[in-house]
Amino acid sequence: MSSNQIALKNLVSMEHLTNEEVMALIKRGIEFKNGAKVHYDEQHIVANLFFESSTRTHKAFEVAELKLGCDLLDFDVKTSSVNKGETLYDTILTMSALGVDVCVIRHPEVDYYKELIESPTITTSIVNGGDGSGQHPSQSLLDLMTIYQEFGHFDGLKVAIAGDLDHSRVAKSNMQILKRLGAELFFAGPDEWRSAEFADYGKFVTIDEVIDQVDVMMFLRVQHERHDYNSIFSKENYHKLHGLTQERYDRMKDNAILMHPAPVNRDVEIADHLVEAPKSRIVEQMTNGVFVRMAIIEAVLKGRN
């Protein structure tokens, strides 16, 4: 058994993980990427319940579960009793009663998981696939895996997170754990999209102030679906002021990397032709997402035993 195999009852927030657990999940993800296999004698049933649109997270969990040999229980929000007014609690209560081992859930309500993991009746394990603008632990872990593969450490790294900060669960998950692991953080983007909480974790800057200093330049998607615009949004103006242009890309350090949780609004956060540029690790992030999610599911299944 690998020393990086850990046991977790649920995985809902980066705040609930110790630094040791985070590093074990990253390293186990790397082991899976390098070809590690796991064999279960018993049947494990997993349901993926996505109440918000998703390609990368949803399908990466599915691929991870299939690679682990899990049985996937089909769940389609459009044809479920949610359309009859069934609450999330009662949906998960049903899954638990049916014998589902793990429910991976994405839901628009922040902290939706609290009543689920506190319930004495619900016995299925919960993995948070994203809660509103709250947390996105699996995305954070795949980001950390990508950074760790590149640099081999976090302590002392300079990381800039730029864009739609307030609406980004990725930004919030990453800033908490990266600061804990010793990285130096910078935040950039429109003033109206960043709240005071970010000041507790790093320094507010403009992209042009730090683009040539940071080791990791992480852009965030402009989340149009979470905005109530008072004026017409101009993607050209946003890109010019806050996005990665060719000129800014050229100023990045030779060994610096470009990251984005995707989907990328091309020519908004990042110039279209730079999404797959040599310094970009965006495709690598997606690949790593499968393997770190294998580590997550394995840890939660182990926690059930």
Side-chain angles (χ1 to χ4, degrees), residues 202-236:
K203 181 181 178 183
F204 289 134
V205 295
T206 65
I207 288 180
D208 291 318
E209 286 179 276
V210 294
I211 192 73
D212 56 353
Q213 299 174 37
V214 296
D215 303 294
V216 179
M217 190 69 233
M218 185 181 297
F219 286 87
L220 304 170
R221 182 174 68 87
V222 177
Q223 300 194 26
H224 298 291
E225 70 276 16
R226 302 191 196 278
H227 285 281
D228 181 16
Y229 291 113
N230 294 319
S231 59
I232 296 172
F233 178 84
S234 165
K235 74 174 191 177
E236 293 81 10

Side-chain angles (χ1 to χ4, degrees), residues 21 27 59 74 92-93 105 122 127 172 187 192 197 211 220 238 254:
E21 287 170 335
K27 291 176 180 178
K59 296 307 172 185
D74 182 54
I92 304 307
L93 185 64
I105 307 169
I122 291 174
V127 173
K172 290 164 188 171
F187 300 105
E192 61 271 26
E197 68 175 309
I211 192 73
L220 304 170
Y238 183 92
D254 289 343

Side-chain angles (χ1 to χ4, degrees), residues 72-124:
L72 274 57
L73 183 69
D74 182 54
F75 183 88
D76 184 348
V77 174
K78 300 187 195 71
T79 57
S80 73
S81 289
V82 170
N83 295 308
K84 299 176 182 178
E86 183 175 70
T87 64
L88 176 64
Y89 181 90
D90 282 339
T91 299
I92 304 307
L93 185 64
T94 301
M95 295 292 147
S96 179
L98 294 176
V100 174
D101 295 293
V102 182
C103 285
V104 179
I105 307 169
R106 171 171 290 186
H107 198 274
E109 182 184 339
V110 174
D111 294 344
Y112 72 79
Y113 48 79
K114 285 189 174 178
E115 69 169 345
L116 305 179
I117 63 176
E118 291 168 1
S119 167
T121 315
I122 291 174
T123 57
T124 189

Side-chain angles (χ1 to χ4, degrees), residues 38-49:
V38 63
H39 173 74
Y40 296 112
D41 293 325
E42 67 271 41
Q43 179 189 47
H44 294 299
I45 302 173
V46 182
N48 299 300
L49 299 89

Side-chain angles (χ1 to χ4, degrees), residues 11-248:
L11 197 155
V12 294
S13 169
M14 295 301 288
E15 293 174 289
H16 295 177
L17 295 173
T18 65
N19 288 5
E20 291 73 25
E21 287 170 335
V22 168
M23 291 308 302
L25 288 167
I26 291 169
K27 291 176 180 178
R28 186 59 174 156
I30 292 172
E31 287 177 356
F32 279 128
K33 190 175 184 178
N34 290 337
K37 305 289 184 187
V38 63
H39 173 74
Y40 296 112
D41 293 325
E42 67 271 41
Q43 179 189 47
H44 294 299
I45 302 173
V46 182
N48 299 300
L49 299 89
F50 278 68
F51 296 85
E52 287 187 322
S53 300
S54 172
T55 301
R56 271 148 291 275
T57 303
H58 192 170
K59 296 307 172 185
F61 266 114
E62 283 189 3
V63 173
E65 292 148 8
L66 290 169
K67 281 179 175 288
L68 288 173
C70 298
D71 292 320
L72 274 57
L73 183 69
D74 182 54
F75 183 88
D76 184 348
V77 174
K78 300 187 195 71
T79 57
S80 73
S81 289
V82 170
N83 295 308
K84 299 176 182 178
E86 183 175 70
T87 64
L88 176 64
Y89 181 90
D90 282 339
T91 299
I92 304 307
L93 185 64
T94 301
M95 295 292 147
S96 179
L98 294 176
V100 174
D101 295 293
V102 182
C103 285
V104 179
I105 307 169
R106 171 171 290 186
H107 198 274
E109 182 184 339
V110 174
D111 294 344
Y112 72 79
Y113 48 79
K114 285 189 174 178
E115 69 169 345
L116 305 179
I117 63 176
E118 291 168 1
S119 167
T121 315
I122 291 174
T123 57
T124 189
S125 296
I126 306 300
V127 173
N128 182 12
D131 59 304
S133 56
Q135 286 271 336
H136 198 346
S138 67
Q139 178 70 47
S140 182
L141 285 164
L142 74 88
D143 289 345
L144 293 174
M145 177 177 163
T146 305
I147 294 169
Y148 187 77
Q149 274 195 301
E150 196 75 29
F151 299 101
H153 66 97
F154 298 99
D155 193 39
L157 288 180
K158 293 184 176 181
V159 181
I161 305 176
D164 194 353
L165 293 164
D166 269 350
H167 298 93
S168 175
R169 51 196 170 212
V170 176
K172 290 164 188 171
S173 294
N174 279 347
M175 73 180 182
Q176 292 167 356
I177 189 60
L178 282 168
K179 183 176 174 65
R180 247 205 286 157
L181 292 171
E184 183 180 359
L185 297 177
F186 303 91
F187 300 105
D191 292 344
E192 61 271 26
W193 292 354
R194 59 191 197 193
S195 55
E197 68 175 309
F198 291 94
D200 295 332
Y201 294 89
K203 181 181 178 183
F204 289 134
V205 295
T206 65
I207 288 180
D208 291 318
E209 286 179 276
V210 294
I211 192 73
D212 56 353
Q213 299 174 37
V214 296
D215 303 294
V216 179
M217 190 69 233
M218 185 181 297
F219 286 87
L220 304 170
R221 182 174 68 87
V222 177
Q223 300 194 26
H224 298 291
E225 70 276 16
R226 302 191 196 278
H227 285 281
D228 181 16
Y229 291 113
N230 294 319
S231 59
I232 296 172
F233 178 84
S234 165
K235 74 174 191 177
E236 293 81 10
N237 192 50
Y238 183 92
H239 184 65
K240 180 180 177 182
L241 293 174
H242 307 292
L244 187 68
T245 61
Q246 181 68 54
E247 185 269 334
R248 288 183 177 124

